[in-house]
Structure formats: structure tokens, C-alpha cells
Amino acid sequence: MKHISMTVNGDNHELLVDPSWTLLETLRDHLRLTGTKEGCSNGNCGACTVMINGRTANACLVLAAEMGGNEITTIEGIATQGKLNPVQEAFIKDGALQCGFCTPGFIVSTTALLQRDPDPSEVEIRTRLAGNLCRCTGYDKIVMAVEDAAAMLRG
Amino acid sequence: MPDFDFAQPTSLNEALELFAAEGEVRALVGGTDIVDQLKTGRRNADMVVDVKRIPELQRLEVAADGLHVGAARNLTDIGEFPAVRADYGGLADSSVLVGSWQIQNRAGLGGNVCNAAPSGDTIPALLSHDTTAIVASSTGRREIALSDFFAGPGQTVLQKGEILVELVLPPSPDNGASSYLRFIPRNEMDIAVVGVGSYLQLGSGNIVEKARIALASVAPTPVRARAAEEVLEGNVLTDDLIESAAVTAVEAATPITDVRGSAEYRRELVKVLTRRTLGICRDRING
């Protein structure tokens, strides 16, 4: 087992991790942060998207043992003080989800996208979110929600 | 996932000691290939060494002898680096095509090279820039021309105990430019059916001083289309010359028929993508 210290959604965690544990398993099974979903487990679907030091990553392809000193943001860290983030509000308002399994990953990816570019074009939205798969919506409502969230955040 | 030991060295010497140990020692950069391969048993490891905290492997800078890219530097940083965007266009093109944004944020250029997939998107661009691989082991360092680096699908010429430290791309003059295109049936998130990376350097009167063309997904390793390069070099660059090079490039392809495309289709794509990348190189030089 390896000792690591990492920050998850602002809280510091001291953990003993097995080298073979992924960050995804560690978040879900050991820290009980089950908002991050496991879809394909090979980096195609994006359901497990989290931010590591502000950049998105597939938690299923990251080893927990790598994470010493890093800051992780999961879907549980997107809302602040019990208040939904504008990205979450826009996804609800626009009906940008059906079964909801992909939604945490989309919210995290969208949050990272809008931190980088507050006014992305439709092409940029579709390109940056290409690593998040949704089998329900057909994506149009997701793109609409991202555009609405961007407008809300710009004020 | 199978059991393995894990280490996270912070110096190259410390890492090279680890790689010299008995057993299968695997380098981990972004994990976007190796973690999946370990999960599915396509590669094995007694020890996984996270090399991201070794300063030499994070290098990204222009020096007198060209662009130095540490093997662990992630593709997002490389694709956004101003000197890469200005002078190594094919590398910029390909860095933002590998997988998704999530993948590019983690995956290292050295990982894409050492995974040695025939379809690796960054490799043709690197080959088109005459890239040299700097390799080290506990007993010394050596330089390998990247065109000699690949031994087969997923196989490199690295010996036990050796790791890729950095890739060096020679200076790219103002009269030179590169380009990479791949064909996939979707817009994003797919493996190249064919990829082509080209480099052109034009002298006075539009004479081609230097040409490089490299192909992905049409042979057991990425390959240079050397006969097509010879068609170009020393001649005035015209649309007819580009077409002739594109037709000749097909000779370097020995594709297979698989789920992503037939051999015949891939040969046609080599011609089309060679023509298009050479056109983009010309536009970039003139632009």
C-alpha cells in the first residue's frame, strides 16, 4: 500500500492506496463519492470525468497512487454551499439529460470548458465535449444547456 | 487490475535505477493506454513507474538545436505551446486529435510514441520533422532517429532498462511548414483509418528544398514515404507535382483490411491525405 495525501473538493484526505486502485475506485468505494460514474472503464465514455488540478481527466485511467499532492474536483464539488452551479441549473432548465448517467461527467467537462472559454462556439462545445458520451439526448439539448450556462456565467 | 509495485521517482537517476531492476518495469505517463492495457491483460507489469515528476521528462522549450519535448509532457500543453503552433504545425494538429480533451490533458507525447501503435496520431508529424529520440538507461544515453524507433505494432527498439527521455525536433525555418491529417468516420474520438504527416521547405522559385511524408495505419509501424519525398525535392512545387507525390506515396503503404477500412480504401486515403497535407504545408509557408 502507498500513502498519499490528496485534496478532494477542498478537503484533504490521507489514504493508504493499493497501486492497482484507480482514482475512480478510490473516490467511489473508499471516499464514498459515488457521483462520479463508471461507464466503459477505458477512457471512451467520460462518465468518470473529474478535474485534476483544474484539468479534466478520466478517473478510470488514473491510478490513485499517482495523486499525491493533487487537487481533485468531482461532481460533488461543483455545487457550492448547497446551491447549484449555473451549469447544473442550465442542464435542468434545458432538459439536457434523460437517464442521467453521463450527466456528472458532462457537468464537470462543461465547467472546465467555461473556465477556459466563457463564450465557446457550438463547434468548440462539441469538440471539447467529444469525450463525454450520451446515449439518450442526441446532444442538441446538452449543447443548448452549455450555451445557456455560458450566458448565465457571463451575466 | 493485476497487482504491481508502484514508484514515483523525482529524478532521472532514481528512475533509471528502477528500470534496471528485474522483471517487467513499465513507465506510466498519462495512463491512457497503459492502464487500460493492464486492466485487459494486453500488457503486464511487475512495477509501474510514474515518470511525470522527473523534470527532464517535462521539458518543453526551444533551444538552439530545436524543440525539446520531454517524454512525459502532456498533449494539451504541447498543442497550446506558441512555438509548436507557429513552427511545428503538424505536431500541433495531431496533439489535439489524440482521444478526447480528457485524454490530451493526461497523455504524454512520449507515451504516444512508446505505445508504438501503427495509428499513433503524433508519430507521422514527429517523423516529418526528422525527430530524434533521446533514450537513457542506468549505463548511459543514446540518440535514435525516430524513423528507426519502431519495431512492430506496440513494439519499439528500446532495450531492457532504457526509457525515452525526450524528443528533439530540429529548428523549423520560416520557409518550412508541416501538417497532419487523419481520416476517421466520425468527427472526434476515433482511431485513424489513415493518418498522414507532411513537411515542406520551399526555396526561391518555389523549389522544394526538403520534403517529408510519413504515414500512419498503413503498415505494422508508422512509415516514411521516401519515394514520394524524392518526387518533390529539387522540383518546383505545383499542383501536378503534389498529385504525383500523392500517387507515389501509396507505394509506401502496405495496409491490411480490418474493421476500420479495407486495404484498397486505405491506399486511396493515403493519396488524398498526402495531397491535402502538402497543400496545407504550402499554405502555411505562404500564409
Side-chain angles (χ1 to χ4, degrees):
Chain A
M1 302 293 272
K2 177 179 167 63
H3 172 261
I4 61 163
S5 170
M6 65 177 179
T7 303
V8 182
N9 302 328
D11 296 331
N12 187 57
H13 292 272
E14 303 281 335
L15 296 166
L16 280 175
V17 298
D18 187 281
S20 69
W21 291 355
T22 63
L23 176 61
L24 177 61
E25 291 174 82
T26 306
L27 291 170
R28 287 183 54 85
D29 300 343
H30 300 278
L31 298 180
R32 302 290 173 195
L33 292 168
T34 55
T36 306
K37 302 305 180 194
E38 178 169 24
C40 66
S41 293
N42 63 22
N44 273 290
C45 79
C48 66
T49 302
V50 298
M51 278 189 250
I52 301 172
N53 302 328
R55 287 188 176 190
T56 55
N58 297 305
C60 72
L61 297 179
V62 176
L63 301 179
E66 295 175 58
M67 289 292 99
N70 286 336
E71 290 184 14
I72 318 297
T73 304
T74 70
I75 185 65
E76 289 90 347
I78 297 290
T80 45
Q81 294 166 346
K83 189 172 181 308
L84 293 180
N85 170 299
V87 176
Q88 294 169 307
E89 285 182 15
F91 269 65
I92 294 168
K93 180 174 83 64
D94 292 326
L97 57 133
Q98 288 177 34
C99 85
F101 196 82
C102 70
T103 310
F106 268 102
I107 301 275
V108 172
S109 287
T110 301
T111 303
L113 167 60
L114 298 182
Q115 282 171 0
R116 175 198 161 93
D117 183 352
D119 190 13
S121 66
E122 181 182 343
V123 169
E124 187 180 359
I125 293 169
R126 289 185 185 271
T127 303
R128 292 286 173 193
L129 298 182
N132 293 85
L133 302 186
C134 172
R135 301 287 80 158
C136 302
T137 62
Y139 300 101
D140 283 357
K141 289 184 173 181
I142 291 173
V143 173
M144 191 190 306
V146 176
E147 288 171 342
D148 284 347
M152 274 191 255
L153 284 162
R154 290 197 304 273
Chain B
M1 191 126 59
D3 285 332
F4 47 79
D5 292 327
F6 178 86
Q8 198 170 45
T10 53
S11 77
L12 185 56
N13 284 341
E14 191 188 342
L16 295 175
E17 293 294 318
L18 292 164
F19 282 97
E22 292 285 307
E24 194 67 71
V25 186
R26 295 273 183 201
L28 170 73
V29 182
T32 56
D33 285 311
I34 189 68
V35 171
D36 182 45
Q37 290 162 352
L38 291 169
K39 283 182 184 181
T40 55
R42 280 175 291 152
R43 292 198 202 256
N44 64 322
D46 298 304
M47 172 173 274
V48 169
V49 180
D50 178 1
V51 296
K52 289 191 291 298
R53 299 193 184 192
I54 302 168
E56 288 95 325
L57 273 71
Q58 288 292 350
R59 195 173 173 193
L60 180 57
E61 63 181 330
V62 177
D65 62 343
L67 174 72
H68 289 247
V69 186
R73 195 62 180 236
N74 70 74
L75 296 173
T76 295
D77 284 353
I78 295 164
E80 292 178 354
F81 191 58
V84 171
R85 296 173 68 97
D87 299 328
Y88 301 90
L91 180 59
D93 295 339
S94 58
S95 296
V96 298
L97 283 179
V98 175
S100 61
W101 194 20
Q102 290 96 318
I103 299 287
Q104 292 151 25
N105 285 337
R106 298 290 296 170
L109 184 62
N112 197 234
V113 169
C114 290
N115 190 52
S119 57
D121 281 308
T122 64
I123 298 169
L126 291 170
L127 289 172
S128 79
H129 276 283
D130 286 339
T131 297
T132 299
I134 311 293
V135 166
S137 71
S138 59
T139 56
R141 290 167 87 94
R142 65 179 175 132
E143 296 186 1
I144 306 170
L146 197 66
S147 52
D148 297 328
F149 192 79
F150 303 101
Q155 303 294 321
T156 71
V157 299
L158 289 179
Q159 302 292 306
K160 167 68 185 164
E162 281 187 324
I163 63 167
L164 178 62
V165 176
E166 63 174 2
L167 296 154
V168 183
L169 290 70
S172 180
D174 289 343
N175 61 337
S178 64
S179 160
Y180 175 76
L181 288 176
R182 70 171 181 199
F183 179 81
I184 56 174
R186 315 192 271 198
N187 291 328
E188 304 290 339
M189 286 293 285
D190 210 344
I191 296 167
V193 180
V194 170
V196 177
S198 294
Y199 174 86
L200 276 182
Q201 199 171 300
L202 297 180
S204 61
N206 261 350
I207 289 182
V208 180
E209 291 177 347
K210 184 173 168 185
R212 294 287 182 270
I213 299 167
L215 316 176
S217 289
V218 294
T221 67
V223 288
R224 285 263 301 278
R226 292 177 194 266
E229 296 168 2
E230 285 168 17
V231 166
L232 292 163
E233 287 180 347
N235 292 308
V236 176
L237 189 70
T238 60
D239 288 343
D240 286 346
L241 188 71
I242 287 177
E243 186 61 28
S244 172
V247 170
T248 306
V250 178
E251 293 169 13
T254 52
I256 56 168
T257 293
D258 69 8
V259 66
R260 284 182 276 132
S262 67
E264 185 185 7
Y265 185 51
R266 286 187 154 112
R267 280 191 285 268
E268 182 67 17
L269 281 171
V270 167
K271 188 173 72 184
V272 171
L273 296 180
T274 300
R275 182 200 304 136
R276 289 183 189 169
T277 51
L278 289 170
I280 293 169
C281 291
R282 176 172 60 185
D283 292 346
R284 285 179 174 171
I285 294 168
N286 295 331

